[in-house]
């Protein structure tokens, strides 16, 4: 039996279009920790994603993922603030290979182009340490709309 | 030990969206974009609470959170470990956030929907650099904004502008010297001044610089756009990331429209720049009375630094007194009415003027010209001109004319005449008001006039 995808093709296209991505985690005392992510890849089954997290990110983020695996991935398009959030559980992680790094760089370039489009040229183009990345594979447990407004937080689709 | 929070005020201008990381009681983390973060004091920040969302529910269960902000000057990210302290629904922090959000909401037709429910105050326990958002690595990268002005430069600019203003001999020269001086001495290219109208709750644009259209005569209702909100709040409002704020509000608006919470009809067109990124509005107040509003705009995000805001607020107090003094000086030593004169030869063009008495609106050749008191004045002048052929008039005779219904004290007649003159100039100069020395002016008419009054 084929499982119903959590993320359909339309949403997958949006999530992989070069967005501002942030990862939320927490420790055993439920203290949150987060970081910026470079890119995201939605797997064909629509039930798993791979999040590319800069290896330079705070050690607490990786430590939290290692100990409890709970993760929230928030994504927003700077041009119109359309946003979504994926909740899930980290399955495992690895150093991104060259092909994955190329995918991440393409998405990052798209994100920077969007920033440029809203009048933030030059920001983060050179000084942010978003490469190399750790690829974090996540089993998706829920997807939410996060576009600002009255129904932000409603489950998708 | 100091957290150094006061050094991060640039981060709180909303140029780069902030993030809020929370965790529910069941251990599910949450990462959400934040609309506004406000500096409260050396150990507290305030976060905007606009919608009941997951973050808010999480905080009710688990008060610990992390806020990420980014410095627009250096691109350095900062992680603030915070704990929820309290919610405020009034007071200076709430007001500061409320008026900024209201200004953005008013542009998007979202007043009443995109609004601040509370300012949530958090205690900041630590501030640490975000390693992946390292702004220190490349100091040669162009900064997002210019450096703040040197205090000595600001004081010198204020001094030079004050001297320029002091030499103004009439209201028109005073207002023009302000907007010209803001460009010359502060390099603020786009500025406008709206003065209180005789209509309650309304301002009228009287002077501007840096725009294709002067906008003279445009009415601004209290609560509309930054000018109307400054008038309503009687407090300065600075918006540094207007475009970002509007994108956020528009996103919320689309969702609200889908739910039938608001419609497009209430959208207020932006006065001034088509795409302002930074706006600074200051009320011009004299002893608690609102004289007008000075607004400065820029297409550059975070154009107006804290130092600029302070300087313009200071300047605003001075300008308010100067403008009011000039308005009151209109009563001094005005001459008797000038001898009757004849109109200059017409060019042969015929102009139709219609006065709608019930609305107090004058239309020129089918287009709106002016309303309210300036419209009554214009109609009086035109009727006199048609009846007697007289073209020279005095402020004094207008003041004594009971049909104009001028207020007995502080009638702002000079302001209304200046407004009328500028509107007439905008309309191509078929009819002009020409100053003829203090308290006197002439009506210059090009072509034949056809006057019609309608009730």
């Amino acid at each position: 039996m084929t499982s119903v995808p959590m993320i359909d093709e339309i949403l997958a296209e949006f999530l992989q279009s070069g967005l501002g991505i942030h990862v939320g985690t927490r420790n055993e005392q439920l203290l949150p920790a987060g970081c910026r992510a470079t890119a995201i890849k939605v797997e064909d089954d629509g039930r798993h994603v791979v999040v590319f997290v800069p290896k330079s990110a705070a050690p607490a983020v990786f430590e939290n993922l290692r100990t409890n695996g709970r993760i929230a991935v928030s994504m927003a398009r700077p041009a119109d603030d359309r946003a979504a959030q994926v909740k899930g559980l980290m399955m495992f992680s690895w150093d991104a290979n060259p092909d994955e790094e190329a995918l991440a760089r393409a998405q990052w370039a798209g994100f920077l182009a969007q920033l440029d489009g809203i009048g933030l040229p030059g920001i983060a183009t050179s000084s942010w340490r978003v490469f190399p990345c750790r690829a974090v594979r996540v089993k998706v447990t829920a997807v939410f709309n996060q576009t600002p407004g009255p129904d932000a937080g409603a489950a998708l689709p | 030990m100091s957290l150094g929070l006061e050094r991060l005020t640039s981060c709180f201008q909303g140029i780069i969206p902030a993030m809020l990381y929370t965790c529910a009681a069941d251990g599910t983390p949450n990462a959400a974009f934040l609309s506004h973060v406000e500096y409260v004091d050396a150990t507290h920040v305030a976060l905007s609470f606009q919608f009941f969302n997951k973050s808010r529910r999480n905080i009710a269960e688990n008060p610990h959170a992390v806020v990420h902000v980014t410095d627009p000057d250096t691109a350095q990210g900062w992680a603030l470990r915070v704990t929820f302290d309290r919610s405020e629904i009034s007071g200076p922090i709430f007001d500061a956030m409320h008026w900024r959000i209201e200004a953005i909401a008013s542009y998007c037709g979202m007043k009443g929907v995109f609004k601040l429910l509370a300012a949530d105050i958090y205690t900041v326990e630590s501030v640490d650099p975000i390693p992946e958002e390292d702004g220190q690595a490349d100091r040669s990268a162009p900064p997002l904004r210019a450096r703040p002005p040197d205090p000595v430069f600001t004081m010198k600019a204020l001094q030079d502008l004050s001297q320029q203003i002091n030499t103004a001999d009439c209201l028109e020269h005073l207002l023009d010297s302000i907007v010209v001086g803001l460009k010359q001495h502060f390099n603020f290219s786009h500025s406008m001044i709206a003065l209180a109208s005789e209509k309650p709750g309304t301002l009228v644009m009287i002077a501007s610089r840096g725009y294709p259209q002067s906008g003279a005569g445009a009415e601004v209702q209290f609560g509309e756009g930054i000018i109307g909100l400054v008038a309503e709040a009687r407090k300065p409002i600075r918006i540094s990331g207007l475009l970002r704020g509007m994108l956020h509000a528009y996103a919320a608006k689309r969702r609200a429209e889908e739910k039938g919470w608001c419609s497009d009809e209430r959208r207020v067109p932006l006065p001034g720049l088509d795409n302002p990124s930074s706006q600074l509005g200051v009320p011009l107040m004299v002893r608690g009375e609102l004289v007008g509003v000075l607004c400065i705009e820029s297409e550059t995000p975070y154009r107006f630094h804290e130092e600029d805001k302070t300087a313009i607020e200071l300047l605003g107090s001075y300008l308010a007194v100067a403008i009011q003094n000039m308005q009151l000086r209109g009563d001094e030593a005005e001459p008797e009415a000038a001898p009757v004169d004849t109109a200059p030869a017409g060019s042969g063009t015929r102009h139709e003027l219609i006065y709608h008495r019930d609305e107090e609106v004058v239309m020129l050749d089918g287009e709106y010209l002016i309303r309210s008191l300036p419209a009554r004045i214009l109609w009086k002048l035109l009727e006199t001109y048609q009846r007697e052929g007289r073209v020279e008039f005095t402020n004094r005779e207008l003041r004594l004319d009971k049909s104009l219904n001028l207020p007995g004290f502080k009638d702002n007649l000079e302001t209304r005449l200046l407004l009328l003159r500028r509107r007439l100039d905008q309309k191509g100069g078929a009819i002009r008001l020409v100053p003829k020395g203090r308290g006197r002016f002439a009506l210059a008419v090009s072509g034949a006039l056809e006057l019609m009054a309608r009730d």
Side-chain angles (χ1 to χ4, degrees):
Chain A
M1 192 178 94
T2 307
S3 300
V4 177
M6 303 288 292
I7 300 170
D8 64 21
E9 285 183 11
I10 295 170
L11 183 59
E13 187 180 353
F14 168 67
L15 297 183
Q16 298 173 110
S17 63
L19 307 177
I21 305 173
H22 295 263
V23 165
T25 67
R26 55 87 174 171
N27 67 10
E28 295 311 288
Q29 290 73 48
L30 306 189
L31 294 176
C35 70
R36 184 178 287 277
T38 312
I40 188 169
K41 180 185 176 209
V42 181
E43 294 190 355
D44 290 343
D45 66 0
R47 302 185 70 85
H48 295 82
V49 297
V50 178
V51 186
F52 296 94
V53 179
K55 291 174 80 172
S56 63
V61 171
F62 295 109
E63 178 64 17
N64 292 347
L65 288 174
R66 191 183 63 77
T67 53
N68 63 64
R70 305 292 287 269
I71 186 169
V73 188
S74 213
M75 290 143 288
R77 183 161 60 193
D80 61 3
D81 270 6
R82 181 184 170 193
Q85 183 168 206
V86 167
K87 300 281 179 84
L89 201 61
M90 185 188 84
M91 310 300 288
F92 47 86
S93 70
W94 64 94
D95 286 349
N97 64 41
D99 287 346
E100 291 166 333
E101 194 98 346
L103 178 149
R105 285 187 187 278
Q107 275 192 32
W108 185 251
F111 171 61
L112 294 182
Q114 290 227 20
L115 290 183
D116 193 63
I118 62 163
L120 297 174
I123 191 76
T125 52
S126 56
S127 64
W128 284 0
R129 296 157 57 197
V130 291
F131 299 101
C133 298
R134 188 86 182 153
V136 176
R137 186 167 188 254
V138 176
K139 180 184 179 184
V140 178
T141 55
V143 185
F144 299 98
N145 170 43
Q146 212 176 17
T147 304
D151 56 356
L156 288 175
Chain B
M1 192 184 78
S2 169
L3 294 165
L5 205 54
E6 58 279 3
R7 288 186 289 110
L8 302 186
T9 51
S10 298
C11 303
F12 304 142
Q13 299 302 318
I15 310 294
I16 299 167
M19 287 299 297
L20 174 63
Y21 299 100
T22 59
C23 182
D26 69 359
T28 306
N30 195 71
F33 293 89
L34 263 175
S35 170
H36 289 80
V37 183
E38 188 87 8
Y39 173 84
V40 176
D41 58 35
T43 54
H44 293 86
V45 292
L47 310 187
S48 61
F49 166 35
Q50 290 169 258
F51 299 100
F52 287 97
N53 55 25
K54 183 63 180 165
S55 298
R56 198 78 180 356
R57 288 194 293 274
N58 284 357
I59 288 298
E61 298 172 358
N62 171 11
H64 304 292
V66 172
V67 175
H68 278 191
V69 294
T70 307
D71 190 323
D73 292 335
T74 64
Q76 177 65 54
W78 296 94
L80 283 57
R81 188 162 287 284
V82 299
T83 302
F84 177 76
D85 186 79
R86 65 190 186 277
S87 280
E88 293 186 356
I89 55 170
S90 63
I93 296 299
F94 178 87
D95 285 349
M97 298 177 85
H98 164 76
W99 288 114
R100 202 160 60 165
I101 288 170
E102 280 285 286
I104 293 166
S106 76
Y107 285 134
C108 306
M110 285 284 287
K111 280 192 81 174
V113 175
F114 189 73
K115 64 180 181 182
L116 186 67
L117 298 177
D120 288 345
I121 312 295
Y122 286 76
T123 302
V124 181
E125 285 144 11
S126 65
V127 178
D128 295 297
I130 298 173
E132 74 274 15
E133 292 186 5
D134 183 2
Q136 308 303 313
D138 185 1
R139 289 187 176 277
S140 63
L144 192 62
R145 63 167 185 144
R147 295 196 178 285
D150 186 297
V152 175
F153 165 81
T154 302
M155 289 308 295
K156 179 75 168 63
L158 277 173
Q159 189 180 30
D160 290 347
L161 181 54
S162 299
Q163 282 176 359
Q164 202 167 326
I165 289 166
N166 281 338
T167 62
D169 57 359
C170 66
L171 183 65
E172 181 173 23
H173 294 163
L174 172 66
L175 293 169
D176 287 344
S177 70
I178 293 168
V179 291
V180 169
L182 285 168
K183 167 64 181 163
Q184 279 182 346
H185 304 298
F186 287 89
N187 204 25
F188 296 150
S189 300
H190 307 281
S191 60
M192 47 192 158
I193 298 171
L195 296 183
S197 158
E198 70 274 12
K199 271 172 61 182
T202 307
L203 298 146
V204 63
M205 199 66 71
I206 191 82
S208 67
R209 184 186 164 90
Y211 304 102
Q213 304 290 329
S214 78
E219 287 190 344
V220 183
Q221 306 298 318
F222 280 25
E224 283 184 358
I226 189 167
I227 292 175
L229 282 162
V230 167
E232 187 175 305
R234 299 187 173 212
K235 289 176 181 170
I237 298 176
R238 178 178 54 155
I239 310 173
S240 299
L242 183 58
L243 177 60
R244 274 236 41 81
M246 286 176 67
L247 288 171
H248 193 82
Y250 275 129
K253 183 186 181 183
R254 279 190 291 275
R255 308 303 299 181
E257 280 174 351
E258 286 165 17
K259 286 182 165 286
W261 286 18
C262 61
S263 72
D264 262 323
E265 291 164 10
R266 286 187 288 167
R267 188 174 189 278
V268 177
L270 276 174
L273 292 175
D274 287 338
N275 295 300
S277 279
S278 303
Q279 289 185 320
L280 171 61
V282 294
L284 307 178
M285 306 277 295
V286 179
R287 290 181 293 280
E289 180 188 345
L290 183 77
V291 174
V293 171
L294 169 65
C295 179
I296 307 167
E297 294 187 306
S298 173
E299 286 164 334
T300 305
Y302 199 13
R303 171 66 181 80
F304 306 120
H305 310 256
E306 194 65 29
E307 297 82 350
D308 295 322
K309 179 168 170 272
T310 305
I312 298 303
E313 279 184 58
L314 185 67
L315 183 66
S317 311
Y318 174 70
L319 296 181
V321 173
I323 291 170
Q324 194 179 63
N325 281 346
M326 201 61 86
Q327 287 174 329
L328 294 172
R329 272 176 56 189
D331 283 334
E332 289 175 10
E334 289 185 350
E336 294 299 315
V340 173
D341 201 353
T342 53
S347 64
T349 310
R350 190 169 190 81
H351 298 288
E352 179 190 81
L353 289 116
I354 301 174
Y355 179 45
H356 296 275
R357 289 187 197 281
D358 53 346
E359 295 174 21
E360 295 190 324
V361 168
V362 174
M363 308 286 288
L364 171 61
D365 294 331
E367 290 184 5
Y368 168 79
L369 176 61
I370 202 152
R371 68 167 68 243
S372 302
L373 179 56
R376 296 201 299 271
I377 293 171
L378 176 63
W379 201 250
K380 187 77 190 173
L381 301 176
L382 291 173
E383 282 185 328
T384 306
Y385 165 74
Q386 283 284 62
R387 190 174 58 244
E388 304 172 11
R390 181 154 67 94
V391 294
E392 290 212 0
F393 300 87
T394 68
N395 292 4
R396 180 179 168 81
E397 70 175 284
L398 294 179
R399 287 201 164 87
L400 294 173
D401 189 332
K402 292 202 174 353
S403 71
L404 290 175
N405 202 21
L406 283 163
F409 176 64
K410 286 200 285 192
D411 55 29
N412 291 341
L413 180 61
E414 281 204 352
T415 309
R416 308 307 159 211
L417 288 173
L418 174 58
L419 175 62
L420 178 56
R421 188 157 77 244
R422 292 194 163 177
R423 279 296 292 160
L424 289 168
D425 290 346
Q426 272 180 5
K427 286 294 177 184
I431 304 166
R432 290 185 298 121
L433 294 188
V434 182
K436 304 282 280 185
R438 192 158 174 73
R440 299 166 63 234
F441 63 93
L443 186 69
V445 177
S446 170
L449 302 184
E450 184 181 347
L451 306 187
M452 283 181 284
R454 292 177 182 166
D455 291 323

